[in-house]
Structures are given as structure tokens and as C-alpha cells.
């Protein structure tokens, strides 16, 4: 097949092999095996069994190991889940509660929450918590939607004592 660019140029079609996938509205990522129920926009990491599990800032076992953002849902252990992993990708992340515009203005940092798989606009402050920045808000909070777009730029900042 061929790919037409701008209506005039024809180039060979892009072929992706292996576990990588490029899916419309899901970004570039991988089809992984889930360790349980995972919702679109939840933050995941590899657990000890080699499956995707929900990350949170209080789990010492995942320090520095956030793997990506789920862009498809899984219902149970062993199901496939699509995970976007590329820094610089715009992805939807799930917040525990819908952030308002005042709490989540465009460009503000977004962190891994203490609630499993969730994002938060508030930097974790509890003793023993990990401060893990997921990226920066692209869509402003509206007080209604719990899925908000971020520029995915994952970075472990600190372990709080």
C-alpha cells in the first residue's frame, strides 16, 4: 500500500511490527497484559508478575517505575490493555475528582496521586510519599470531567521522608 501526503506525494505505507501499536485516539504504545481492572487514563507500572498494575504515590514498590498511561480499558486479570509510553505524547489521564479551572490551569504540573492509578494537581506531601510528576496540563479543568489531557513528561522528583 501507499500513503498519500498532501494529495500529491505517494510514499510506501508505514508498517509497525512487534508489540508496538499506533492506534487512532490512543497514541503510540504497547499492548500489555493487565493485572486487574484498569480504566482509560489510569497510570500503570510493571508489577512483580510482569503485568500492568495501577500506580500510586504511596507504594514504595513502584518508586521511579511509572510505565505509562492506559489508553484502553481492561476488565480483569489477563486482559489486554493498550499503554502509551512515549514522553511528549498528549494523553488523557484520570483524576479521582474533576479538577476545576482554578486547580488545573493550562501548563500546570500533574502528579501521580495516592489513589490507585489516578492523577492529581496537588503535589504529594505525605511522609513516605513519592513525588512523581506525570506531565503538564494541556486541557484546563472544568469541574465536570475526570479525564483531562496532559503532555506526558514522566519524572520521579523525590521520596518524602
Amino acid at each position: 500500500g501507499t500513503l498519500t501526503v498532501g494529495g500529491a506525494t505517494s510514499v510506501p505505507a508505514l508498517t509497525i511490527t512487534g508489540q508496538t501499536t499506533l492506534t487512532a485516539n490512543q497514541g503510540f504504545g504497547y499492548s500489555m497484559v493487565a493485572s486487574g481492572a484498569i480504566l482509560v487514563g489510569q497510570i500503570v507500572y510493571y508489577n512483580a508478575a510482569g503485568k500492568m498494575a495501577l500506580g500510586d504515590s504511596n507504594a514504595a514498590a513502584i518508586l521511579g517505575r511509572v510505565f505509562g498511561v492506559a489508553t484502553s480499558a481492561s476488565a480483569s486479570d489477563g486482559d489486554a490493555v493498550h499503554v502509551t509510553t512515549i514522553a511528549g505524547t498528549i494523553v488523557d489521564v484520570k483524576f479521582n475528582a474533576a479538577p476545576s479551572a482554578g486547580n488545573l490551569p493550562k501548563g500546570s504540573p500533574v502528579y501521580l496521586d495516592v489513589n490507585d492509578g489516578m492523577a492529581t494537581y496537588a503535589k504529594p506531601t505525605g511522609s513516605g510519599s513519592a513525588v512523581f510528576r506525570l506531565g503538564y496540563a494541556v486541557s484546563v479543568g472544568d469541574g465536570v470531567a475526570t479525564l483531562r489531557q496532559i503532555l506526558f513528561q514522566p519524572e520521579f522528583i523525590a521520596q518524602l521522608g
Side-chain angles (χ1 to χ4, degrees), residues 61-152:
I62 70 157
L63 288 181
R65 291 178 38 197
V66 168
F67 184 77
V69 179
T71 54
S72 70
S74 71
S76 61
D77 183 44
D79 285 355
V81 61
H82 185 270
V83 179
T84 294
T85 59
I86 305 296
T89 302
I90 294 176
V91 294
D92 288 331
V93 294
K94 189 155 185 65
F95 286 78
N96 197 44
S100 68
N103 291 332
L104 190 68
K106 189 176 275 193
S108 62
V110 175
Y111 301 93
L112 181 62
D113 197 4
V114 297
N115 296 295
D116 286 351
M118 300 295 179
T120 182
Y121 54 83
K123 183 189 290 186
T125 58
S127 179
S129 292
V131 179
F132 198 102
R133 187 177 56 228
L134 298 171
Y136 301 92
V138 171
S139 61
V140 176
D142 63 3
V144 177
T146 57
L147 279 176
R148 306 309 306 164
Q149 287 187 330
I150 69 165
L151 176 63
F152 188 54

